Coordinates of all heavy atoms in Angstrom, one line a residue:
M1 N 10.9 32.9 3.7 CA 12.2 32.6 4.2 C 12.4 31.1 4.0 O 12.3 30.4 4.9 CB 12.5 33.1 5.6 CG 12.2 34.4 6.0 SD 13.3 35.5 5.2 CE 12.1 36.8 4.7
S2 N 12.8 30.8 2.8 CA 13.0 29.3 2.6 C 14.4 29.0 2.9 O 15.2 29.7 3.2 CB 12.7 29.0 1.1 OG 13.6 29.7 0.3
V3 N 14.5 27.6 3.0 CA 15.8 27.1 3.2 C 16.6 26.8 2.0 O 16.0 26.2 1.0 CB 15.6 25.7 4.0 CG1 16.9 25.1 4.5 CG2 14.8 25.9 5.3
S4 N 17.9 27.0 1.9 CA 18.6 26.9 0.7 C 18.8 25.4 0.4 O 18.7 24.6 1.3 CB 20.0 27.6 0.8 OG 20.8 26.8 1.7
R5 N 19.0 25.1 -0.8 CA 19.1 23.7 -1.4 C 20.3 23.0 -0.6 O 20.1 21.9 -0.2 CB 19.4 23.7 -2.8 CG 19.5 22.3 -3.4 CD 19.6 22.4 -4.8 NE 18.2 22.6 -5.3 CZ 18.0 23.0 -6.7 NH1 19.0 23.1 -7.5 NH2 16.8 23.1 -7.0
E6 N 21.3 23.7 -0.5 CA 22.6 23.1 0.3 C 22.2 22.8 1.7 O 22.6 21.7 2.2 CB 23.9 24.0 0.2 CG 24.3 24.2 -1.2 CD 23.5 25.3 -2.0 OE1 22.9 26.1 -1.3 OE2 23.5 25.3 -3.3
K7 N 21.6 23.7 2.4 CA 21.2 23.5 3.8 C 20.3 22.4 3.9 O 20.4 21.5 4.8 CB 20.7 24.8 4.3 CG 20.2 24.7 5.8 CD 21.4 24.5 6.7 CE 20.9 24.5 8.1 NZ 21.9 24.1 9.1
K8 N 19.3 22.3 3.0 CA 18.3 21.3 3.0 C 19.1 19.9 2.8 O 18.6 19.0 3.6 CB 17.2 21.4 2.0 CG 16.0 20.5 2.1 CD 14.9 20.9 1.1 CE 14.3 22.1 1.6 NZ 13.0 22.3 0.7
Q9 N 19.9 19.8 1.9 CA 20.7 18.5 1.6 C 21.5 18.1 2.9 O 21.5 17.0 3.2 CB 21.6 18.7 0.4 CG 20.8 18.8 -0.9 CD 20.0 17.5 -1.2 OE1 20.4 16.5 -0.8 NE2 18.8 17.7 -1.7
S10 N 22.1 19.1 3.5 CA 22.8 18.7 4.8 C 21.9 18.3 5.8 O 22.2 17.3 6.5 CB 23.7 19.9 5.2 OG 22.9 20.9 5.7
L11 N 20.7 18.8 6.0 CA 19.7 18.3 7.0 C 19.3 16.9 6.7 O 19.1 16.1 7.5 CB 18.6 19.4 7.1 CG 18.8 20.7 7.7 CD1 17.6 21.6 7.5 CD2 19.2 20.5 9.1
I12 N 19.1 16.7 5.3 CA 18.6 15.4 5.0 C 19.7 14.3 5.3 O 19.4 13.2 5.8 CB 18.3 15.4 3.5 CG1 17.0 16.1 3.2 CG2 18.2 13.9 2.9 CD1 16.6 16.3 1.8
Q13 N 21.0 14.7 5.1 CA 22.0 13.7 5.3 C 22.1 13.5 6.8 O 22.5 12.4 7.3 CB 23.4 14.2 4.7 CG 23.5 14.2 3.3 CD 24.8 14.7 2.7 OE1 25.5 15.2 3.3 NE2 25.0 14.4 1.4
D14 N 22.1 14.6 7.6 CA 22.2 14.5 9.1 C 21.0 13.7 9.8 O 21.3 13.0 10.7 CB 22.3 15.9 9.7 CG 23.6 16.6 9.3 OD1 24.6 15.9 8.8 OD2 23.7 17.9 9.4
F15 N 19.9 14.0 9.3 CA 18.7 13.4 10.0 C 18.0 12.3 9.3 O 17.1 11.6 9.8 CB 17.6 14.5 10.2 CG 18.1 15.6 11.2 CD1 18.6 16.7 10.8 CD2 17.9 15.3 12.6 CE1 19.1 17.6 11.7 CE2 18.3 16.2 13.5 CZ 18.9 17.4 13.2
G16 N 18.6 11.8 8.2 CA 17.9 10.7 7.4 C 18.1 9.4 8.1 O 19.2 9.2 8.7
Q17 N 17.2 8.5 7.9 CA 17.3 7.2 8.5 C 18.2 6.2 7.7 O 18.9 5.4 8.2 CB 15.9 6.5 8.7 CG 14.9 7.2 9.6 CD 15.4 7.3 11.1 OE1 15.9 6.3 11.5 NE2 15.4 8.4 11.7
S18 N 18.2 6.5 6.3 CA 18.9 5.7 5.4 C 19.2 6.5 4.3 O 18.8 7.6 4.2 CB 18.1 4.4 5.1 OG 17.0 4.8 4.3
Q19 N 20.0 5.9 3.3 CA 20.4 6.6 2.0 C 19.1 6.8 1.2 O 18.3 5.9 1.1 CB 21.4 5.7 1.3 CG 21.8 6.5 -0.1 CD 22.6 7.7 0.3 OE1 23.2 7.8 1.4 NE2 22.8 8.6 -0.7
G20 N 18.8 8.0 0.8 CA 17.6 8.2 -0.1 C 16.4 8.6 0.7 O 15.3 8.7 0.2
D21 N 16.6 8.7 2.0 CA 15.4 9.0 2.9 C 15.2 10.5 2.8 O 16.1 11.3 3.3 CB 15.6 8.6 4.3 CG 14.5 9.0 5.3 OD1 13.4 9.3 4.8 OD2 14.7 8.9 6.5
T22 N 14.1 11.0 2.3 CA 13.9 12.5 2.3 C 12.6 12.9 3.0 O 12.4 14.1 3.1 CB 13.7 12.9 0.9 OG1 12.6 12.2 0.2 CG2 15.0 12.7 0.1
G23 N 11.8 12.0 3.5 CA 10.5 12.3 4.1 C 10.2 11.8 5.4 O 9.1 11.9 5.9
S24 N 11.2 11.4 6.1 CA 10.9 10.9 7.5 C 10.6 12.1 8.4 O 10.9 13.3 8.1 CB 12.2 10.1 8.1 OG 13.2 11.1 8.3
V25 N 10.0 11.8 9.5 CA 9.6 12.7 10.4 C 10.7 13.6 10.9 O 10.6 14.8 11.1 CB 8.8 12.2 11.6 CG1 8.3 13.3 12.7 CG2 7.6 11.4 11.1
E26 N 11.8 13.0 11.2 CA 13.0 13.8 11.7 C 13.5 14.8 10.7 O 13.8 16.0 11.1 CB 14.1 12.7 12.0 CG 13.9 12.0 13.2 CD 13.3 10.6 12.9 OE1 12.8 10.5 11.7 OE2 13.3 9.7 13.8
I27 N 13.5 14.5 9.5 CA 13.9 15.4 8.4 C 12.9 16.5 8.3 O 13.3 17.7 8.3 CB 14.1 14.7 7.0 CG1 15.2 13.8 7.2 CG2 14.3 15.8 5.9 CD1 15.4 12.8 5.8
Q28 N 11.7 16.3 8.3 CA 10.6 17.2 8.2 C 10.6 18.2 9.4 O 10.6 19.4 9.2 CB 9.2 16.6 8.1 CG 9.1 15.8 6.8 CD 7.6 15.3 6.8 OE1 6.6 15.9 7.0 NE2 7.5 14.0 6.5
V29 N 10.9 17.7 10.6 CA 10.9 18.6 11.8 C 12.2 19.5 11.6 O 12.2 20.6 12.1 CB 10.9 17.7 13.0 CG1 11.2 18.6 14.3 CG2 9.5 17.0 13.2
A30 N 13.3 18.8 11.3 CA 14.5 19.7 11.1 C 14.5 20.8 10.2 O 14.9 21.9 10.4 CB 15.7 18.7 10.8
I31 N 13.9 20.5 9.0 CA 13.6 21.6 8.0 C 12.7 22.7 8.6 O 12.9 23.8 8.4 CB 13.2 21.0 6.7 CG1 14.3 20.1 6.0 CG2 12.8 22.1 5.7 CD1 13.9 19.4 4.8
L32 N 11.6 22.2 9.2 CA 10.7 23.2 9.7 C 11.4 24.0 10.9 O 11.1 25.2 10.9 CB 9.4 22.5 10.3 CG 8.4 21.9 9.3 CD1 7.4 21.1 10.1 CD2 7.8 23.0 8.6
T33 N 12.1 23.4 11.6 CA 12.9 24.1 12.7 C 13.8 25.2 12.1 O 13.9 26.3 12.7 CB 13.7 23.2 13.6 OG1 12.8 22.2 14.1 CG2 14.4 24.0 14.7
T34 N 14.5 24.8 11.0 CA 15.3 25.8 10.3 C 14.4 27.0 9.7 O 14.8 28.2 9.9 CB 16.2 25.1 9.1 OG1 16.9 24.0 9.7 CG2 17.1 26.1 8.6
R35 N 13.4 26.7 9.1 CA 12.5 27.7 8.6 C 11.9 28.6 9.7 O 11.8 29.8 9.6 CB 11.3 27.1 7.8 CG 11.8 26.5 6.5 CD 10.7 25.9 5.7 NE 9.7 27.0 5.3 CZ 8.5 26.8 4.8 NH1 8.1 25.4 4.6 NH2 7.7 27.8 4.5
I36 N 11.6 27.9 10.8 CA 11.1 28.7 11.9 C 12.1 29.7 12.5 O 11.7 30.9 12.8 CB 10.6 27.8 13.1 CG1 9.2 27.1 12.6 CG2 10.3 28.5 14.4 CD1 8.8 25.9 13.4
A37 N 13.4 29.3 12.6 CA 14.4 30.2 13.1 C 14.5 31.3 12.1 O 14.8 32.5 12.5 CB 15.7 29.4 13.2
N38 N 14.6 31.0 10.7 CA 14.7 32.1 9.8 C 13.6 33.2 9.9 O 13.9 34.4 9.8 CB 14.7 31.5 8.4 CG 16.0 30.8 8.1 OD1 17.0 31.0 8.8 ND2 15.9 30.0 7.0
L39 N 12.3 32.7 10.0 CA 11.2 33.5 10.2 C 11.3 34.3 11.5 O 10.8 35.6 11.6 CB 9.9 32.8 10.0 CG 9.6 32.3 8.6 CD1 8.4 31.5 8.6 CD2 9.4 33.5 7.7
T40 N 11.7 33.7 12.6 CA 11.8 34.4 13.8 C 12.8 35.6 13.7 O 12.6 36.7 14.2 CB 12.2 33.5 14.9 OG1 11.3 32.4 14.9 CG2 12.2 34.1 16.2
D41 N 14.0 35.4 13.0 CA 15.0 36.4 12.9 C 14.3 37.6 12.0 O 14.5 38.7 12.3 CB 16.1 35.8 12.2 CG 16.9 35.0 13.1 OD1 16.8 35.0 14.3 OD2 17.8 34.2 12.6
H42 N 13.5 37.2 11.0 CA 12.9 38.2 10.1 C 11.9 39.0 10.9 O 11.9 40.3 10.8 CB 12.2 37.5 9.0 CG 11.3 38.4 8.1 ND1 11.8 39.2 7.2 CD2 10.0 38.6 8.2 CE1 10.9 39.9 6.6 NE2 9.8 39.6 7.2
L43 N 11.2 38.4 11.8 CA 10.1 39.1 12.5 C 10.7 39.9 13.6 O 10.2 40.9 14.1 CB 9.1 38.2 13.1 CG 8.2 37.6 12.1 CD1 7.4 36.5 12.8 CD2 7.2 38.7 11.7
R44 N 12.0 39.7 14.1 CA 12.6 40.6 15.0 C 13.0 41.9 14.3 O 12.9 43.0 15.1 CB 14.0 40.0 15.5 CG 13.7 38.9 16.5 CD 14.9 38.4 17.2 NE 14.7 37.5 18.2 CZ 15.2 36.2 18.0 NH1 15.8 35.8 17.0 NH2 14.7 35.3 19.0
V45 N 13.2 41.9 13.1 CA 13.5 43.1 12.4 C 12.2 43.8 11.9 O 12.0 45.0 12.1 CB 14.4 42.9 11.2 CG1 14.7 44.1 10.3 CG2 15.7 42.3 11.6
H46 N 11.3 43.0 11.4 CA 10.0 43.6 10.8 C 8.8 43.2 11.7 O 8.1 42.2 11.5 CB 9.8 43.0 9.4 CG 10.9 43.2 8.5 ND1 11.2 44.4 7.8 CD2 12.0 42.4 8.0 CE1 12.3 44.3 7.2 NE2 12.8 43.2 7.2
K47 N 8.6 44.0 12.7 CA 7.8 43.6 13.8 C 6.3 43.7 13.4 O 5.4 42.9 13.9 CB 7.9 44.5 15.0 CG 9.2 44.4 15.6 CD 9.3 45.2 16.9 CE 10.8 45.2 17.6 NZ 11.5 44.0 17.7
K48 N 5.9 44.4 12.4 CA 4.6 44.6 11.9 C 4.2 43.7 10.7 O 3.2 43.9 10.1 CB 4.3 46.1 11.6 CG 4.4 46.9 12.8 CD 4.0 48.3 12.5 CE 4.1 49.2 13.8 NZ 3.6 50.5 13.6
D49 N 5.1 42.7 10.4 CA 4.8 41.9 9.2 C 3.8 40.8 9.6 O 4.2 39.7 10.0 CB 6.1 41.3 8.7 CG 6.0 40.6 7.4 OD1 4.8 40.4 6.9 OD2 7.0 40.2 6.8
V50 N 2.5 41.1 9.5 CA 1.5 40.2 10.0 C 1.4 38.9 9.2 O 1.2 37.8 9.7 CB 0.2 40.9 10.0 CG1 -1.0 40.0 10.6 CG2 0.2 42.1 11.0
S51 N 1.6 39.0 8.0 CA 1.5 37.7 7.0 C 2.5 36.8 7.4 O 2.3 35.6 7.4 CB 1.4 38.2 5.6 OG 2.6 38.8 5.2
T52 N 3.7 37.2 7.6 CA 4.8 36.3 7.9 C 4.6 35.8 9.3 O 4.9 34.6 9.6 CB 6.2 37.1 8.0 OG1 6.4 37.6 6.7 CG2 7.3 36.2 8.3
R53 N 4.1 36.5 10.3 CA 3.7 36.0 11.5 C 2.6 34.8 11.5 O 2.9 33.8 12.1 CB 3.2 37.1 12.5 CG 2.9 36.7 13.9 CD 2.6 37.8 14.7 NE 3.5 39.0 14.6 CZ 4.6 39.1 15.3 NH1 5.1 38.2 16.1 NH2 5.4 40.2 15.1
R54 N 1.8 35.0 10.6 CA 0.7 34.0 10.4 C 1.4 32.7 9.8 O 1.1 31.6 10.3 CB -0.4 34.6 9.5 CG -1.5 33.5 9.3 CD -2.6 34.2 8.5 NE -3.7 33.2 8.3 CZ -3.9 32.4 7.4 NH1 -3.1 32.5 6.3 NH2 -4.9 31.6 7.3
G55 N 2.2 32.9 8.8 CA 2.9 31.8 8.3 C 3.8 31.1 9.3 O 3.9 29.8 9.3
L56 N 4.5 31.8 10.1 CA 5.2 31.3 11.3 C 4.4 30.4 12.2 O 4.8 29.3 12.6 CB 6.0 32.4 12.0 CG 6.7 32.0 13.2 CD1 7.9 31.0 12.9 CD2 7.2 33.1 14.0
L57 N 3.2 30.9 12.5 CA 2.4 30.1 13.4 C 1.9 28.8 12.8 O 1.7 27.8 13.5 CB 1.1 31.0 13.9 CG 1.5 32.2 14.7 CD1 0.3 33.0 15.0 CD2 2.1 31.7 16.1
K58 N 1.6 28.9 11.4 CA 1.2 27.7 10.8 C 2.4 26.6 10.8 O 2.2 25.4 10.9 CB 0.8 27.9 9.3 CG -0.4 28.7 9.3 CD -0.8 29.1 7.8 CE -1.2 27.9 7.0 NZ -1.8 28.3 5.7
L59 N 3.6 27.2 10.5 CA 4.8 26.2 10.6 C 5.0 25.6 12.1 O 5.3 24.4 12.1 CB 6.1 26.9 10.2 CG 6.1 27.4 8.8 CD1 7.4 28.2 8.5 CD2 6.1 26.2 7.8
V60 N 4.9 26.4 13.0 CA 5.0 25.9 14.4 C 3.9 24.8 14.7 O 4.3 23.8 15.4 CB 4.9 27.1 15.4 CG1 4.8 26.6 16.9 CG2 6.2 28.0 15.2
A61 N 2.7 25.1 14.2 CA 1.7 24.1 14.4 C 2.0 22.8 13.7 O 1.8 21.7 14.2 CB 0.4 24.7 14.0
R62 N 2.4 22.9 12.5 CA 2.8 21.7 11.8 C 3.9 21.0 12.4 O 3.9 19.6 12.5 CB 3.2 22.1 10.3 CG 3.4 20.9 9.4 CD 4.0 21.1 8.1 NE 3.2 22.3 7.4 CZ 3.7 22.8 6.3 NH1 4.8 22.5 5.8 NH2 2.9 23.8 5.8
R63 N 4.9 21.6 12.9 CA 6.0 21.0 13.6 C 5.5 20.3 14.9 O 5.9 19.2 15.2 CB 7.2 21.9 13.9 CG 8.3 21.3 14.7 CD 9.4 22.3 15.0 NE 9.0 23.2 16.0 CZ 9.8 24.0 16.5 NH1 11.1 24.2 16.1 NH2 9.5 25.0 17.5
A64 N 4.6 21.0 15.6 CA 4.0 20.4 16.8 C 3.3 19.1 16.5 O 3.3 18.1 17.3 CB 3.1 21.4 17.5
K65 N 2.5 19.1 15.4 CA 1.8 17.9 15.1 C 2.7 16.8 14.7 O 2.5 15.6 15.1 CB 0.8 18.2 13.8 CG -0.3 18.9 14.1 CD -1.2 19.2 12.9 CE -2.2 20.2 13.1 NZ -3.0 20.5 11.9
L66 N 3.8 17.0 14.0 CA 4.8 16.0 13.6 C 5.4 15.4 14.9 O 5.6 14.2 15.1 CB 5.8 16.5 12.7 CG 5.3 16.7 11.2 CD1 6.3 17.5 10.5 CD2 5.0 15.4 10.6
L67 N 5.8 16.2 15.8 CA 6.4 15.9 17.1 C 5.4 15.1 17.9 O 5.8 14.1 18.6 CB 7.0 17.1 17.9 CG 8.2 17.7 17.3 CD1 8.6 19.1 18.0 CD2 9.3 16.8 17.3
K68 N 4.2 15.4 18.0 CA 3.2 14.8 18.6 C 3.0 13.3 18.1 O 2.9 12.3 18.9 CB 1.9 15.5 18.6 CG 0.8 14.9 19.5 CD -0.4 15.8 19.4 CE -1.6 15.2 20.2 NZ -2.9 16.0 20.0
Y69 N 3.0 13.2 16.8 CA 2.9 11.9 16.1 C 4.2 11.0 16.5 O 3.9 9.9 16.8 CB 2.9 12.1 14.6 CG 3.1 10.9 13.9 CD1 2.2 9.8 13.8 CD2 4.3 10.6 13.2 CE1 2.4 8.7 13.1 CE2 4.6 9.5 12.6 CZ 3.7 8.5 12.5 OH 3.9 7.4 11.8
L70 N 5.3 11.6 16.4 CA 6.6 10.9 16.6 C 6.5 10.4 18.2 O 6.9 9.3 18.5 CB 7.8 11.7 16.4 CG 9.1 11.0 16.3 CD1 9.0 9.8 15.3 CD2 10.2 11.9 16.1
K71 N 6.1 11.3 19.1 CA 6.1 11.0 20.4 C 5.1 9.8 20.7 O 5.3 8.9 21.5 CB 5.6 12.1 21.4 CG 5.8 11.9 22.8 CD 5.4 13.1 23.7 CE 5.6 12.9 25.1 NZ 5.2 14.1 25.8
R72 N 4.0 9.8 20.0 CA 3.0 8.8 20.2 C 3.4 7.4 19.6 O 3.1 6.4 20.3 CB 1.7 9.3 19.5 CG 0.5 8.4 19.7 CD -0.8 8.9 19.1 NE -0.6 8.8 17.6 CZ -0.8 9.8 16.8 NH1 -1.0 11.0 17.3 NH2 -0.6 9.7 15.5
T73 N 4.1 7.4 18.5 CA 4.5 6.1 17.8 C 5.8 5.6 18.2 O 5.9 4.5 18.6 CB 4.5 6.4 16.4 OG1 5.4 7.4 16.0 CG2 3.0 6.6 15.9
E74 N 6.9 6.5 18.4 CA 8.2 6.1 18.7 C 8.9 7.0 19.6 O 9.5 8.0 19.2 CB 9.0 5.8 17.5 CG 8.5 4.7 16.5 CD 9.4 4.4 15.4 OE1 10.6 4.4 15.6 OE2 8.9 4.2 14.3
N75 N 8.6 6.8 20.9 CA 9.1 7.7 21.9 C 10.6 7.8 21.9 O 11.2 9.0 22.2 CB 8.6 7.3 23.3 CG 8.6 8.5 24.3 OD1 8.6 9.7 23.9 ND2 8.6 8.1 25.5
Q76 N 11.4 6.9 21.7 CA 12.9 6.9 21.7 C 13.3 8.0 20.6 O 14.2 8.7 20.9 CB 13.5 5.5 21.5 CG 13.1 4.6 22.7 CD 13.7 5.1 24.0 OE1 14.7 5.8 24.0 NE2 13.1 4.7 25.1
R77 N 12.8 7.7 19.5 CA 13.2 8.7 18.4 C 12.8 10.1 18.6 O 13.5 11.0 18.3 CB 12.5 8.2 17.0 CG 13.2 7.0 16.4 CD 12.5 6.5 15.2 NE 12.2 7.5 14.2 CZ 11.3 7.3 13.2 NH1 10.7 6.1 13.1 NH2 11.2 8.2 12.2
Y78 N 11.6 10.3 19.3 CA 11.1 11.6 19.7 C 12.2 12.3 20.7 O 12.6 13.4 20.5 CB 9.7 11.5 20.3 CG 9.4 12.7 21.0 CD1 8.9 13.8 20.4 CD2 9.4 12.8 22.4 CE1 8.5 15.0 21.0 CE2 9.0 14.0 23.1 CZ 8.5 15.0 22.4 OH 8.2 16.1 23.0
V79 N 12.6 11.5 21.7 CA 13.6 12.1 22.7 C 14.8 12.4 22.0 O 15.4 13.5 22.3 CB 13.6 11.1 23.8 CG1 14.8 11.5 24.8 CG2 12.3 10.8 24.6
A80 N 15.4 11.5 21.2 CA 16.6 11.8 20.6 C 16.5 13.0 19.6 O 17.4 13.8 19.6 CB 17.0 10.6 19.7
L81 N 15.4 13.2 18.9 CA 15.3 14.3 18.0 C 15.2 15.7 18.8 O 15.8 16.6 18.4 CB 14.0 14.1 17.2 CG 13.7 15.2 16.1 CD1 14.9 15.3 15.2 CD2 12.4 15.0 15.4
I82 N 14.4 15.6 19.9 CA 14.2 16.8 20.8 C 15.7 17.2 21.3 O 16.0 18.4 21.3 CB 13.3 16.5 21.9 CG1 12.0 16.4 21.3 CG2 13.3 17.7 23.0 CD1 11.3 17.6 20.6
Q83 N 16.4 16.3 21.8 CA 17.8 16.6 22.3 C 18.7 17.1 21.2 O 19.4 18.1 21.4 CB 18.3 15.4 23.0 CG 17.7 15.0 24.2 CD 18.2 13.7 24.8 OE1 19.0 13.0 24.2 NE2 17.9 13.5 26.0
R84 N 18.6 16.5 20.0 CA 19.5 16.9 18.9 C 19.2 18.3 18.5 O 20.1 19.0 18.1 CB 19.3 15.9 17.8 CG 20.5 15.8 16.8 CD 20.5 14.5 16.2 NE 21.3 14.5 15.0 CZ 21.2 13.8 14.0 NH1 20.3 12.9 13.9 NH2 22.1 14.0 13.0
L85 N 17.9 18.7 18.4 CA 17.5 20.0 17.9 C 17.5 21.0 19.0 O 17.4 22.2 18.6 CB 16.2 19.8 17.2 CG 16.0 19.1 15.9 CD1 14.6 19.1 15.4 CD2 16.8 19.8 14.8
G86 N 17.6 20.6 20.3 CA 17.6 21.5 21.2 C 16.2 22.3 21.5 O 16.2 23.4 21.9
L87 N 15.1 21.4 21.3 CA 13.9 22.0 21.5 C 13.4 21.6 22.9 O 14.0 20.7 23.6 CB 12.9 21.3 20.5 CG 13.2 21.6 19.1 CD1 12.3 20.8 18.1 CD2 13.0 23.1 18.7
R88 N 12.3 22.2 23.4 CA 11.7 21.9 24.7 C 12.7 22.0 25.8 O 12.9 21.1 26.6 CB 11.1 20.5 24.7 CG 10.2 20.3 23.4 CD 8.8 20.5 23.6 NE 8.1 20.6 22.4 CZ 7.2 19.8 22.0 NH1 6.7 18.8 22.7 NH2 6.6 20.1 20.8
G89 N 13.3 23.1 25.9 CA 14.1 23.7 27.0 C 15.0 22.7 27.7 O 15.5 22.6 28.6

């Protein structure tokens, strides 16, 4: 369940730090969050799809590592990103 090109471009524009920024932590976390939401919807329908579940867990772990890095290095950006994406309850 990949993210469409248009959706990815809109995420890059929304979360990018500057023009041409495509790899900042905020963009990576936003794209991963979208992919995680897509896979979660897929798994609600296909409960026995074990390979997708494994891929989902890998994406969640990658997002957690990026968020941990951001929290450690720049806490203000971390808090803003968490609020903007609606993560962590």
Side-chain angles (χ1 to χ4, degrees):
M1 307 295 137
S2 62
V3 180
S4 68
R5 180 175 285 164
E6 295 81 21
K7 179 66 175 171
K8 193 177 284 191
Q9 288 299 321
S10 70
L11 288 172
I12 289 171
Q13 288 177 352
D14 291 344
F15 289 94
Q17 298 292 319
S18 62
Q19 183 68 21
D21 178 19
T22 58
S24 67
V25 177
E26 289 90 348
I27 293 173
Q28 292 181 49
V29 170
I31 291 172
L32 284 173
T33 301
T34 304
R35 288 181 66 193
I36 288 168
N38 290 343
L39 288 177
T40 303
D41 292 339
H42 171 80
L43 283 172
R44 283 194 181 107
V45 176
H46 305 283
K47 296 183 187 314
K48 296 186 178 185
D49 190 353
V50 178
S51 61
T52 300
R53 186 174 310 278
R54 181 172 184 265
L56 174 65
L57 291 176
K58 288 174 78 172
L59 291 177
V60 169
R62 187 184 313 166
R63 182 178 70 178
K65 285 179 188 178
L66 287 169
L67 287 172
K68 185 177 178 183
Y69 164 77
L70 191 60
K71 185 176 184 179
R72 186 178 69 235
T73 57
E74 297 187 38
N75 198 22
Q76 294 296 333
R77 284 173 54 193
Y78 167 78
V79 170
L81 180 64
I82 291 298
Q83 289 175 349
R84 201 160 166 203
L85 290 175
L87 299 175
R88 313 260 161 116

